[in-house]
Amino acid sequence: MIYKTDYHMHSSYSDGRSMPEDYIVPAIAAGLSEIGFSEHLTLFKDHEDWNISPGNISPYISHLETLRNNIKNIKIKIGLEVDFFAGKEEEIYSFLDPLPLDYIIGSVHYLGEKTVDAGPEFYEGRNIDRLFGSYFDSVIAAAASGLFDIIGHCDLIRIFGYKPSADLEPLYRKLAKMMKIRDIAFEVNTNGRNRPLADFYPDRRYLHIFREENVPVCVNSDAHMPSRVGQYFDEAYELLRYIGFTEMAVFDKRERRMVPF
Ligand SMILES: [Zn+2]
Ligand SMILES: [Zn+2]
């Protein structure tokens, strides 16, 4: 059996629908050996209801520590999904450094004042090539920052299916090289299948680049409800194996090790 983990899940501590304990039974049923919670944290913006408030991080961590101590048949990891903002690296570092986390997912949701995943109107009347370029610039800066262990949905800008005309291979290559230099993992995020895009992140046509650059991978559901834990994982692992991946990243107290699959 493949050692499967799902490190990207949202409970009602941020914008998920259920409490962390409600994810345990579906995770075991999905054949997962580890799960990890990664609530949204956005610093420097007025508090939005899809985020955990900084004051709630301590109760969140204690809640998961208690759960971890009580549940023996699946490992529970504690993470966050943190928004990256270029120029704010030091503040983000100071905030995150003292927290006893197993991993931190760094994600880009914001381009300017708006998030790229709120609705298709963000894209209307705009130059799609330029939007993709700006999005990748920000994700590459997130990778370069060294703040994170995993980069979340590295091409979320595909969410509504807008297609650039430019060849994106150089952008994916630049990103993969930076991730290798900074020794961080990317995720195959299966939740794209539930969005208008209807496919995984990153774009499967460019997955081979991450393999060629030897970037560590993990498979994550980005579940916001228990029924989506481990969703489409068999297909994701099959795809990775087809591309040539043979091992996946597992995290403990912000240390990574690789496990064969
Ligand atoms: Zn996200
Ligand atoms: Zn997420």
Side-chain angles (χ1 to χ4, degrees):
M1 209 174 87
I2 300 176
Y3 191 90
K4 289 185 199 153
T5 61
D6 189 349
Y7 288 144
H8 193 155
M9 309 192 325
H10 299 275
S11 77
S12 41
Y13 274 97
S14 61
D15 61 346
R17 301 222 186 130
S18 298
M19 290 300 279
E21 43 273 32
D22 299 329
Y23 290 74
I24 307 283
V25 169
I28 293 168
L32 304 182
S33 300
E34 298 187 16
I35 50 171
F37 293 87
S38 56
E39 308 302 347
H40 287 287
L41 174 70
T42 308
L43 303 168
F44 323 112
K45 296 276 180 194
D46 288 340
H47 181 64
E48 307 242 20
D49 58 5
W50 50 280
N51 280 294
I52 190 168
S53 64
N56 219 10
I57 288 180
S58 235
Y60 162 64
I61 291 174
S62 319
H63 187 136
L64 292 182
E65 282 171 341
T66 305
L67 198 59
R68 167 153 75 190
N69 292 336
N70 291 335
I71 304 281
K72 296 296 170 206
N73 44 357
I74 188 164
K75 284 188 190 163
I76 296 173
K77 300 285 167 76
I78 307 173
L80 285 173
E81 180 184 11
V82 179
D83 267 283
F84 175 73
F85 297 99
K88 298 285 192 184
E89 289 84 349
E90 276 179 31
E91 289 100 318
I92 298 173
Y93 176 82
S94 314
F95 188 91
L96 296 174
D97 188 52
L99 302 176
L101 300 171
D102 290 305
Y103 58 87
I104 299 171
I105 300 175
S107 291
V108 174
H109 301 101
Y110 282 89
L111 267 190
E113 288 307 304
K114 298 249 165 68
T115 58
V116 301
D117 54 344
E121 54 282 357
F122 176 83
Y123 299 80
E124 282 160 19
R126 301 184 72 173
N127 181 314
I128 301 302
D129 283 350
R130 215 172 292 151
L131 282 182
F132 270 68
S134 304
Y135 189 81
F136 270 82
D137 282 349
S138 189
V139 177
I140 292 163
S145 73
L147 290 166
F148 308 118
D149 306 298
I150 303 169
I151 292 293
H153 45 59
C154 71
D155 53 5
L156 180 67
I157 192 81
R158 291 165 55 240
I159 184 167
F160 293 107
Y162 286 90
K163 294 202 169 41
S165 58
D167 174 19
L168 296 183
E169 174 137 2
L171 290 179
Y172 282 92
R173 183 73 65 183
K174 195 172 167 192
L175 172 61
K177 282 187 187 294
M178 184 54 77
M179 293 179 78
K180 183 62 189 169
I181 289 167
R182 291 301 190 187
D183 194 28
I184 52 184
F186 78 104
E187 64 170 9
V188 169
N189 181 313
T190 60
N191 194 34
R193 279 288 280 277
N194 301 313
R195 312 309 300 269
L197 164 73
D199 204 357
F200 301 155
Y201 310 100
D203 190 327
R204 58 180 73 211
R205 291 174 301 167
Y206 302 109
L207 263 181
H208 66 96
I209 294 173
F210 295 87
R211 175 78 283 276
E212 287 158 14
E213 301 297 339
N214 207 16
V215 184
V217 67
C218 44
V219 177
N220 290 328
S221 70
D222 208 348
H224 287 68
M225 61 187 89
S227 61
R228 290 188 175 170
V229 175
Q231 194 182 28
Y232 308 122
F233 272 27
D234 288 343
E235 189 188 328
Y237 278 99
E238 199 176 309
L239 176 64
L240 286 173
R241 216 177 279 122
Y242 174 75
I243 302 289
F245 287 90
T246 56
E247 49 181 20
M248 50 173 287
V250 172
F251 293 90
D252 241 321
K253 298 187 176 68
R254 305 207 60 197
E255 294 284 331
R256 191 191 74 233
R257 67 192 167 87
M258 299 304 292
V259 172
F261 68 80

Coordinates of all heavy atoms in Angstrom, one line a residue, residues 48-91:
E48 N -10.3 38.7 6.9 CA -11.3 38.2 6.0 C -11.8 36.9 6.7 O -11.0 36.1 7.2 CB -10.8 37.9 4.6 CG -10.1 39.1 4.0 CD -10.7 39.6 2.8 OE1 -11.9 39.3 2.6 OE2 -10.1 40.2 2.0
D49 N -13.1 36.6 6.5 CA -13.6 35.4 7.2 C -13.1 34.1 6.7 O -13.3 33.0 7.3 CB -15.1 35.4 7.3 CG -15.8 35.4 5.9 OD1 -15.0 35.3 4.9 OD2 -17.0 35.6 5.8
W50 N -12.3 34.0 5.6 CA -11.8 32.7 5.2 C -10.5 32.4 5.9 O -9.9 31.4 5.6 CB -11.6 32.7 3.6 CG -11.0 33.8 2.9 CD1 -11.5 35.0 2.6 CD2 -9.6 33.9 2.5 NE1 -10.6 35.8 2.0 CE2 -9.4 35.2 1.9 CE3 -8.5 33.0 2.5 CZ2 -8.2 35.5 1.3 CZ3 -7.3 33.4 1.9 CH2 -7.2 34.6 1.3
N51 N -10.0 33.3 6.7 CA -8.8 33.1 7.5 C -8.9 32.8 8.9 O -9.9 33.2 9.5 CB -8.0 34.4 7.4 CG -7.3 34.6 6.1 OD1 -6.4 33.9 5.8 ND2 -7.7 35.6 5.3
I52 N -7.9 32.1 9.5 CA -7.8 32.0 10.9 C -7.3 33.3 11.4 O -6.5 34.0 10.8 CB -6.9 30.8 11.3 CG1 -7.0 30.5 12.8 CG2 -5.4 31.1 10.9 CD1 -6.3 29.2 13.2
S53 N -7.9 33.8 12.6 CA -7.3 35.1 13.1 C -6.1 34.7 13.9 O -6.0 33.7 14.5 CB -8.4 35.8 14.0 OG -8.6 34.9 15.1
P54 N -5.1 35.6 13.8 CA -3.8 35.3 14.5 C -4.0 34.9 16.0 O -3.4 34.0 16.5 CB -3.0 36.6 14.4 CG -3.5 37.2 13.1 CD -5.0 36.9 13.0
G55 N -5.0 35.5 16.6 CA -5.3 35.2 18.0 C -5.9 33.8 18.2 O -5.9 33.2 19.3
N56 N -6.3 33.2 17.1 CA -6.9 31.8 17.3 C -5.9 30.7 16.9 O -6.2 29.5 17.0 CB -8.1 31.7 16.3 CG -9.2 30.9 16.9 OD1 -9.2 30.6 18.1 ND2 -10.2 30.6 16.1
I57 N -4.6 31.1 16.6 CA -3.6 30.1 16.2 C -3.3 29.2 17.4 O -3.1 28.0 17.3 CB -2.4 30.8 15.6 CG1 -2.9 31.3 14.2 CG2 -1.3 29.8 15.4 CD1 -1.8 32.0 13.4
S58 N -3.1 29.8 18.6 CA -2.8 29.0 19.8 C -3.8 28.0 20.1 O -3.5 26.8 20.2 CB -2.6 29.9 20.9 OG -1.4 29.8 21.5
P59 N -5.1 28.3 20.2 CA -6.2 27.3 20.4 C -6.2 26.3 19.3 O -6.4 25.1 19.5 CB -7.5 28.1 20.4 CG -7.1 29.5 20.7 CD -5.7 29.7 20.2
Y60 N -5.9 26.7 18.0 CA -5.9 25.7 16.9 C -4.8 24.7 17.1 O -5.1 23.5 17.0 CB -5.7 26.5 15.6 CG -5.2 25.8 14.4 CD1 -6.0 24.8 13.8 CD2 -3.9 26.1 13.8 CE1 -5.5 24.2 12.6 CE2 -3.5 25.5 12.7 CZ -4.3 24.5 12.1 OH -3.8 23.9 10.9
I61 N -3.6 25.2 17.5 CA -2.5 24.2 17.7 C -2.8 23.3 18.9 O -2.6 22.1 18.8 CB -1.2 25.0 17.8 CG1 -0.8 25.7 16.5 CG2 -0.1 24.1 18.3 CD1 0.4 26.6 16.5
S62 N -3.3 23.9 20.0 CA -3.6 23.0 21.1 C -4.7 22.0 20.8 O -4.6 20.8 21.2 CB -4.2 23.8 22.3 OG -3.5 24.9 22.5
H63 N -5.7 22.4 20.0 CA -6.8 21.5 19.6 C -6.2 20.3 18.8 O -6.5 19.1 19.1 CB -7.7 22.2 18.7 CG -9.0 21.5 18.3 ND1 -10.2 22.0 18.4 CD2 -9.2 20.2 17.9 CE1 -11.1 21.1 18.0 NE2 -10.5 20.0 17.7
L64 N -5.3 20.6 17.9 CA -4.7 19.5 17.1 C -3.7 18.7 17.9 O -3.6 17.4 17.7 CB -4.0 20.1 15.9 CG -4.9 20.7 14.8 CD1 -4.1 21.2 13.6 CD2 -6.0 19.7 14.3
E65 N -3.0 19.3 18.9 CA -2.1 18.5 19.7 C -2.9 17.5 20.5 O -2.5 16.3 20.7 CB -1.3 19.4 20.6 CG -0.1 20.1 19.8 CD 0.6 21.1 20.6 OE1 0.0 21.7 21.6 OE2 1.7 21.5 20.2
T66 N -4.0 17.9 21.1 CA -4.9 17.0 21.8 C -5.4 15.9 21.0 O -5.4 14.7 21.3 CB -6.1 17.8 22.4 OG1 -5.6 18.9 23.2 CG2 -7.0 16.9 23.3
L67 N -5.9 16.3 19.8 CA -6.4 15.3 18.8 C -5.3 14.2 18.5 O -5.5 13.0 18.5 CB -6.9 16.0 17.6 CG -7.8 15.3 16.6 CD1 -9.1 14.9 17.3 CD2 -8.1 16.2 15.4
R68 N -4.1 14.8 18.2 CA -3.0 13.9 17.9 C -2.6 12.9 19.0 O -2.3 11.8 18.8 CB -1.7 14.8 17.6 CG -0.4 14.1 17.5 CD 0.5 14.9 16.7 NE 1.0 16.1 17.3 CZ 1.7 17.0 16.6 NH1 1.9 16.9 15.4 NH2 2.2 18.1 17.3
N69 N -2.8 13.4 20.3 CA -2.5 12.5 21.4 C -3.6 11.4 21.6 O -3.3 10.4 22.1 CB -2.3 13.3 22.7 CG -1.1 14.2 22.6 OD1 -0.2 13.9 21.9 ND2 -1.1 15.3 23.4
N70 N -4.8 11.7 21.1 CA -5.9 10.8 21.4 C -6.1 9.8 20.2 O -6.7 8.8 20.4 CB -7.2 11.6 21.6 CG -7.2 12.3 22.9 OD1 -6.4 11.9 23.8 ND2 -7.9 13.4 23.0
I71 N -5.7 10.2 19.0 CA -5.9 9.3 17.9 C -4.6 8.6 17.5 O -3.6 9.2 17.3 CB -6.3 10.2 16.6 CG1 -7.5 11.1 17.0 CG2 -6.5 9.4 15.4 CD1 -8.9 10.4 17.0
K72 N -4.8 7.2 17.5 CA -3.5 6.5 17.3 C -3.4 5.8 15.9 O -2.3 5.5 15.5 CB -3.5 5.3 18.4 CG -3.4 5.9 19.8 CD -2.1 6.6 20.0 CE -2.1 7.4 21.4 NZ -1.3 8.6 21.4
N73 N -4.5 5.7 15.2 CA -4.4 5.0 13.9 C -4.2 5.8 12.7 O -4.2 5.4 11.6 CB -5.6 4.1 13.7 CG -6.9 4.8 14.1 OD1 -6.9 5.9 14.5 ND2 -8.0 4.1 13.8
I74 N -3.9 7.1 12.9 CA -3.5 8.0 11.8 C -2.6 9.1 12.4 O -2.9 9.6 13.5 CB -4.7 8.5 11.0 CG1 -4.2 9.2 9.7 CG2 -5.6 9.4 11.8 CD1 -5.3 9.5 8.7
K75 N -1.6 9.5 11.7 CA -0.8 10.6 12.2 C -1.4 12.0 11.9 O -1.9 12.1 10.7 CB 0.6 10.5 11.6 CG 1.5 9.4 12.2 CD 2.9 9.6 11.7 CE 3.7 8.3 12.1 NZ 4.9 8.2 11.3
I76 N -1.3 12.9 12.8 CA -1.9 14.2 12.6 C -0.8 15.2 12.6 O -0.1 15.3 13.6 CB -3.0 14.5 13.6 CG1 -4.2 13.5 13.4 CG2 -3.5 15.9 13.5 CD1 -5.2 13.5 14.4
K77 N -0.7 16.0 11.6 CA 0.3 17.1 11.5 C -0.4 18.4 11.5 O -1.5 18.6 11.2 CB 1.1 16.9 10.2 CG 1.8 15.5 10.0 CD 3.1 15.5 10.9 CE 3.6 14.1 11.1 NZ 4.4 13.6 9.9
I78 N 0.5 19.4 12.0 CA -0.1 20.7 12.2 C 0.6 21.7 11.2 O 1.9 21.8 11.3 CB 0.1 21.2 13.6 CG1 -0.4 20.2 14.6 CG2 -0.5 22.6 13.9 CD1 -0.1 20.4 16.1
G79 N -0.1 22.3 10.4 CA 0.4 23.3 9.4 C -0.4 24.5 9.3 O -1.4 24.7 10.0
L80 N 0.0 25.4 8.4 CA -0.8 26.6 8.0 C -0.6 26.8 6.5 O 0.5 26.4 5.9 CB -0.2 27.8 8.7 CG -0.6 28.0 10.2 CD1 0.2 29.2 10.8 CD2 -2.1 28.2 10.4
E81 N -1.5 27.4 5.9 CA -1.4 27.9 4.5 C -1.3 29.4 4.6 O -2.3 30.0 4.9 CB -2.5 27.4 3.6 CG -2.4 27.9 2.2 CD -3.6 27.6 1.2 OE1 -4.6 27.1 1.7 OE2 -3.4 27.8 0.0
V82 N -0.1 29.9 4.3 CA 0.1 31.3 4.5 C 0.3 32.1 3.2 O 1.0 31.7 2.3 CB 1.5 31.5 5.3 CG1 1.8 32.9 5.6 CG2 1.4 30.7 6.7
D83 N -0.4 33.2 3.1 CA -0.3 34.0 1.9 C 1.0 34.7 1.9 O 1.5 35.3 2.9 CB -1.4 35.1 2.0 CG -2.6 34.7 1.2 OD1 -2.6 34.7 0.0 OD2 -3.6 34.2 1.9
F84 N 1.6 34.7 0.7 CA 2.9 35.3 0.5 C 2.7 36.7 0.0 O 1.9 36.9 -1.0 CB 3.8 34.6 -0.5 CG 5.1 35.3 -0.8 CD1 6.1 35.3 0.1 CD2 5.2 35.9 -2.0 CE1 7.3 36.0 -0.2 CE2 6.4 36.6 -2.3 CZ 7.4 36.7 -1.4
F85 N 3.4 37.7 0.5 CA 3.4 39.1 0.0 C 4.9 39.5 -0.2 O 5.6 39.6 0.8 CB 2.7 40.0 0.9 CG 1.2 39.7 1.1 CD1 0.7 39.0 2.2 CD2 0.3 40.1 0.1 CE1 -0.6 38.7 2.3 CE2 -1.1 39.8 0.2 CZ -1.5 39.1 1.3
A86 N 5.3 39.8 -1.4 CA 6.6 40.2 -1.6 C 6.9 41.5 -0.9 O 6.1 42.4 -0.8 CB 6.9 40.5 -3.1
G87 N 8.1 41.6 -0.3 CA 8.5 42.8 0.5 C 8.1 42.6 2.0 O 8.5 43.4 2.8
K88 N 7.4 41.6 2.3 CA 6.9 41.4 3.7 C 7.6 40.2 4.3 O 7.1 39.6 5.3 CB 5.4 41.2 3.8 CG 4.6 42.4 3.3 CD 4.7 43.5 4.3 CE 3.6 44.6 4.0 NZ 3.7 45.7 4.9
E89 N 8.7 39.7 3.7 CA 9.3 38.4 4.1 C 9.7 38.4 5.6 O 9.5 37.4 6.3 CB 10.5 38.1 3.3 CG 10.2 37.7 1.8 CD 10.1 38.9 0.9 OE1 10.0 40.1 1.4 OE2 10.0 38.7 -0.3
E90 N 10.3 39.5 6.1 CA 10.8 39.5 7.5 C 9.7 39.5 8.5 O 9.7 38.7 9.5 CB 11.6 40.8 7.7 CG 13.1 40.5 7.3 CD 14.0 41.7 7.5 OE1 13.7 42.5 8.5 OE2 14.9 41.9 6.7
E91 N 8.6 40.2 8.2 CA 7.4 40.2 9.1 C 6.8 38.8 9.1 O 6.4 38.3 10.1 CB 6.4 41.2 8.7 CG 6.8 42.6 8.9 CD 7.3 43.3 7.6 OE1 8.1 42.6 6.9 OE2 7.0 44.5 7.4

